[in-house]
Amino acid sequence: MSPNRDRGEEEGVVVDLESDAALSALVDGELSEADERALRARIATDPALAHRFARFEALNRALRSDGAGSADFDVDRMSASLASRLANADDDADASLEHAAGPLEESPPDFGAFEPAPATVVEIGRARPALRVALAAAAAIAALWLATLVLGRPGAERGPSMDPSPGLEGGLLAEETRPEVAPIPDPSDLQESPRPKAPGSSEAPAPRPEAVDPARVARRAEAPEPSRPEPGASDAEDELELYAVALDEAVVGDDFDVIDNLEILELMAALEAEDTRG
Amino acid sequence: MDETEQRGLDPDAELMLAFAAGDGSAFDALFRRWAAPLGRYLERMVRDRTIAEDLVQEAFVRVHRARDRYEPQAKFSTWLYRIATNLALNELARAHRAQPHLSLEASADDRSEGRPAAAPELAASERRSDDMMDTQRAGERVRDAMNGLPERQRVALWLSAGEGLSYAEVAEVLGATEKSVKALVHRARSALVGKLGSLGEVLGETGEGRAV
């Protein structure tokens, strides 16, 4: 025994922990013959050590007797249960191997009639992604349909965000599809200047660079009257009405016959020339 | 000296090798030899006979599965106890996770009050002699006191003192060194003796004399 022994205290009795460990090993029969002889000699002469050893032995007896009086295990029943468990384990392993080896589309469902709940869960789980896609597609179609209803037909998009031209208040029409119509003129202005200004322009439009073809002007002058606008209140009213229709219905395109301002100017210039010559 | 002893193998390892070679009766023999002792050990561990029986079967399912990989490097019983101990520790951990509010003392109280499954055991114990009852009471007190020990100390002491495994075998089961096992067993034993103030009196009534 080492002279530097750890010491503990228990129930007022100083316990030599190294001797305690040796006693424990002695109880378990883990000491060598020489060590055992030496320790038993000490126990014989040391009552405290003997008492400690007796308690260790009593504890061992209690541990070994624990459960000794209980009913024996039914090994036959356990053996039958084990055989059943092993058979099930083999079946599961076989099923697992078949499931893994077979093609995916041919593999049968791995749930039985006795387990409807898991089967339902699995089916719902598998169907859920497809259902989500279908719902998303339906929602997208509905949104498109609503957008079409609200904005009108294609080519007549509405909304400020669709209008790249900041000068137009309201921005009802996209610039590339907006009809080139004059703003609503003041009737008094129409008396002096029948030529309305183009929307968004602060100045009168510049003449086109190409020269006016007199023959063409003459042909137009001889054309039937309805297509020739006359500067006056009635023409202004017609133009206003057309413009209002265009604004209200946002109708643009081919079916809206807009009078070309430049052509009016050309016509007026031609008439003035005729008058001058006449 | 039979052939098994000449080869230096314990009889259980020989049976296991026979089973690995395709002898199904060898597996049955192993089960019949070890089911009851292993069941008692596991019942001490998990404090429930039904769970203990289930764990015994599960341990042998593992043995069955591992037949092709089995190598008789240690005693078969050591290997078997190692499997069983790990299963029991897993079961205890699982039970603790499921019901963390239940203390070990509460489990002991439940057992002492007598659950339906334990009723036959209690009825049988009433027919036993007073000495046997005292021994049982002492065993229950020790068992309850052991529940307060750290897990590895408890397992080491059970395997050593309860199952009679050597320190080397306990070390094999726990994956520890012999020195560690010696320390674990000693600490467990010292803590138990210190914890059970009246242990000396209780055991003194049933002890058949002290080996001094």
Side-chain angles (χ1 to χ4, degrees):
Chain A
M1 299 286 171
S2 159
N4 300 322
R5 294 172 179 170
D6 294 328
R7 302 186 78 82
E9 191 164 340
E10 179 187 306
E11 297 174 8
V13 178
V14 176
V15 177
D16 182 341
L17 294 180
E18 190 168 329
S19 295
D20 225 25
L23 288 176
S24 179
L26 177 62
V27 169
D28 290 330
E30 292 282 340
L31 285 181
S32 66
E33 275 190 31
D35 286 346
E36 185 175 342
R37 267 200 307 272
L39 188 55
R40 285 196 181 277
R42 279 190 60 203
I43 289 171
T45 57
D46 186 344
L49 204 59
H51 179 66
R52 188 83 177 157
F53 180 62
R55 298 186 78 176
F56 277 14
E57 283 215 310
L59 177 62
N60 251 31
R61 278 195 301 274
L63 286 170
R64 285 187 177 153
S65 65
D66 180 31
S70 64
D72 286 337
F73 283 84
D74 187 348
V75 177
D76 287 336
R77 182 177 52 79
M78 288 170 67
S79 179
S81 180
L82 174 64
S84 169
R85 189 184 285 206
L86 287 171
N88 288 338
D90 287 344
D91 288 347
D92 290 346
D94 290 345
S96 172
L97 284 173
E98 286 171 10
H99 194 78
L104 192 60
E105 61 273 15
E106 291 178 4
S107 56
D110 56 356
F111 47 83
F114 299 102
E115 297 176 357
T120 305
V121 169
V122 168
E123 287 305 305
I124 289 174
R126 285 175 182 167
R128 194 166 290 159
L131 186 63
R132 284 178 180 167
V133 169
L135 285 174
I141 290 169
L144 274 174
W145 182 70
L146 278 173
T148 306
L149 276 182
V150 170
L151 296 174
R153 63 181 177 169
E157 296 90 340
R158 303 178 65 153
S161 64
M162 297 294 289
D163 191 353
S165 172
L168 291 176
E169 295 171 6
L172 291 176
L173 305 172
E175 189 171 69
E176 61 272 21
T177 57
R178 191 177 303 120
E180 292 183 6
V181 292
I184 299 170
D186 190 331
S188 60
D189 290 338
L190 288 174
Q191 297 296 328
E192 297 175 5
S193 174
R195 175 72 183 89
K197 293 178 181 179
S201 61
S202 56
E203 298 176 0
R208 286 180 177 175
E210 61 266 27
V212 175
D213 183 2
R216 181 180 169 218
V217 171
R219 280 200 303 273
R220 291 202 173 187
E222 292 167 2
E225 278 302 310
S227 65
R228 195 184 83 174
E230 290 291 333
S234 59
D235 289 342
E237 285 172 2
D238 290 344
E239 193 170 345
L240 281 173
E241 188 178 346
L242 287 171
Y243 194 42
V245 168
L247 286 176
D248 288 344
E249 298 182 2
V251 176
V252 293
D254 300 334
D255 57 345
F256 186 65
D257 189 13
V258 182
I259 299 171
D260 190 320
N261 293 333
L262 286 175
E263 284 186 354
I264 293 172
L265 287 175
E266 288 170 359
L267 181 60
M268 290 178 70
L271 288 172
E272 282 177 7
E274 286 290 322
D275 289 341
T276 305
R277 276 199 292 270
Chain B
M1 185 176 285
D2 63 10
E3 188 184 350
T4 301
E5 288 172 335
Q6 284 174 355
R7 290 167 59 179
L9 288 177
D10 75 294
D12 296 324
E14 196 71 18
L15 282 172
M16 188 62 199
L17 288 174
F19 170 55
D23 183 1
S25 65
F27 180 75
D28 189 55
L30 281 172
F31 181 78
R32 289 184 178 281
R33 181 180 293 190
W34 284 105
L38 199 64
R40 282 193 290 273
Y41 166 68
L42 288 168
E43 190 178 9
R44 287 175 179 177
M45 288 276 286
V46 299
R47 300 179 291 279
D48 186 293
R49 171 158 290 218
T50 305
I51 293 174
E53 287 185 359
D54 185 64
L55 292 180
V56 168
Q57 293 171 41
E58 184 59 32
F60 273 91
V61 168
R62 306 291 174 98
V63 169
H64 194 279
R65 282 184 195 154
R67 61 188 179 278
D68 295 332
R69 303 189 303 273
Y70 177 72
E71 292 180 7
Q73 292 173 343
K75 284 175 70 177
F76 171 81
S77 59
T78 306
W79 181 52
L80 184 61
Y81 272 101
R82 183 170 191 160
I83 294 171
T85 300
N86 288 337
L87 287 172
L89 292 177
N90 287 343
E91 172 63 26
L92 289 173
R94 188 199 61 76
H96 184 70
R97 282 196 300 273
Q99 295 178 307
H101 60 283
L102 288 182
S103 65
L104 293 170
E105 286 75 15
S107 301
D109 291 345
D110 291 345
R111 185 176 57 253
S112 62
E113 286 169 7
R115 290 166 294 174
E121 288 183 44
L122 289 176
S125 69
E126 286 172 1
R127 294 190 294 271
R128 292 186 194 114
S129 66
D130 289 345
D131 286 348
M132 185 63 84
M133 287 178 69
D134 288 342
T135 305
Q136 276 201 321
R137 287 193 195 107
E140 281 184 7
R141 287 192 64 184
V142 172
R143 205 184 328 166
D144 291 345
M146 284 190 75
N147 289 338
L149 294 177
E151 212 153 62
R152 282 173 73 83
Q153 287 186 25
R154 191 168 72 237
V155 174
L157 185 58
W158 257 325
L159 287 171
S160 173
E163 303 299 319
L165 269 63
S166 68
Y167 286 178
E169 289 169 340
V170 177
E172 185 77 23
V173 170
L174 294 181
T177 63
E178 279 190 55
K179 197 174 178 181
S180 298
V181 169
K182 183 180 178 182
L184 286 171
V185 170
H186 163 235
R187 282 181 204 153
R189 190 172 271 129
S190 296
L192 273 184
V193 169
K195 190 180 274 188
L196 295 167
S198 59
L199 179 69
E201 290 75 24
V202 170
L203 297 175
E205 292 171 5
T206 59
E208 297 90 10
R210 296 169 181 174
V212 177

